């Protein structure tokens, strides 16, 4: 997969809904009902972060849910890429980007949403062919105001800002011409996941999908 092909596919996934849930799931038993609630609520693109021991099993279970497009977040190494693909991930997300990671994703045919924090990082990825990128950590890097400023000289790059994004500030990002969607964890709070309140999560998803 070329960087251009990866970016086109990543953009398609980002355009499925205004919000991509960023999910940290400790128990694989929660995976299918959680994914079903989010998809039913209008959020089909799901990012499962590789921050728990259960993450790969969670991806496997979520990949079975009709209408969902499951990706793996926090990809750092080629081993992460292989494990994510083997588990059924359809896209990858990284907090940054290294040549080693980019090579691994391209070789594996996994569309990657590579993270950037500065104009220089965005330009380096654009030089390689990546026109769809992740702005991270969004709020710590100056929020929507900073992303809008970065977009002025780089209009060909579109972003998914993640990190500190909430229901309250998501509209600020979504109102920018260089934002395709936002990534956020507020649609699946740990308390609701652990208690199995799938109706509550579906409600939060519907609210997010309407942004």
């Amino acid at each position: 997969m070329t960087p251009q092909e990866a970016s086109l596919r990543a953009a398609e996934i980002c355009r499925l809904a205004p919000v991509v849930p960023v999910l940290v799931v400790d128990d694989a038993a929660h995976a299918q009902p959680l994914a079903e609630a989010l998809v039913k609520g209008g959020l089909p693109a799901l990012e499962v972060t590789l921050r728990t021991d259960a993450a790969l099993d969670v991806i496997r279970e979520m990949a079975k849910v009709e209408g969902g497009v499951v990706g793996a977040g926090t990809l750092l190494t080629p081993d992460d890429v292989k494990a994510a693909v083997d588990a059924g991930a359809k896209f990858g997300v990284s907090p940054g980007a290294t040549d080693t990671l980019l090579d691994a994703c391209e070789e594996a045919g996994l569309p990657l949403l590579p993270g950037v924090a500065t104009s220089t990082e965005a330009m380096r990825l654009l030089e390689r062919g990546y026109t769809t990128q992740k702005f991270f950590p969004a709020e710590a890097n100056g929020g929507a105001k900073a992303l809008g400023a970065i977009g002025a000289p780089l209009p060909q790059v579109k972003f998914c800002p993640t990190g500190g994004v909430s229901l309250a500030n998501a509209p600020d990002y979504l109102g920018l011409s260089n934002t395709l969607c936002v990534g956020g964890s507020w649609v699946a709070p740990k308390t609701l996941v652990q208690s199995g309140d799938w109706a509550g999560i579906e409600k939060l998803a519907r609210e997010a999908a309407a942004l």
Side-chain angles (χ1 to χ4, degrees):
M1 172 174 280
T2 67
Q4 292 80 5
E5 290 168 342
S7 284
L8 285 174
R9 181 55 184 148
E12 289 173 358
I13 293 169
C14 285
R15 290 190 176 101
L16 291 174
V19 178
V20 175
V22 179
L23 307 171
V24 182
V25 186
D26 296 301
D27 187 348
H30 293 147
Q32 285 203 44
L34 172 58
E36 288 167 355
L38 291 168
V39 172
K40 191 174 180 182
L43 303 181
L46 311 170
E47 177 191 340
V48 178
T49 62
L50 301 184
R51 300 182 198 173
T52 71
D53 292 337
L56 293 172
D57 288 331
V58 170
I59 291 173
R60 289 187 187 94
E61 292 303 309
M62 287 191 172
K64 301 174 185 177
V65 175
E66 187 175 353
V69 180
V70 184
T74 328
L75 295 181
L76 304 177
T77 68
D79 286 343
D80 290 340
V81 174
K82 184 180 186 307
V85 171
D86 289 346
K90 299 302 181 186
F91 67 97
V93 184
S94 64
T98 66
D99 288 334
T100 300
L101 181 64
L102 295 171
D103 289 343
C105 287
E106 290 164 15
E107 185 176 341
L110 184 69
L112 179 68
L113 194 60
V116 303
T118 67
S119 296
T120 297
E121 292 171 349
M123 287 170 63
R124 283 179 61 86
L125 281 168
L126 179 61
E127 190 175 78
R128 181 158 174 153
Y130 285 89
T131 54
T132 307
Q133 305 174 13
K134 167 182 170 177
F135 182 57
F136 175 82
E139 282 294 287
N141 279 327
K145 187 174 182 180
L147 184 55
I150 288 174
L154 297 170
Q156 60 272 66
V157 182
K158 305 300 181 186
F159 294 92
C160 170
T162 304
V165 180
S166 66
L167 181 64
N169 62 25
D172 296 334
Y173 291 100
L174 293 170
L176 299 173
S177 62
N178 64 338
T179 296
L180 294 175
C181 66
V182 300
S185 59
W186 83 87
V187 292
K190 192 170 186 178
T191 53
L192 295 189
V193 174
Q194 290 181 336
S195 65
D197 187 356
W198 312 124
I201 289 175
E202 183 184 337
K203 181 180 179 182
L204 291 175
R206 289 190 185 281
E207 192 176 36
L211 287 172

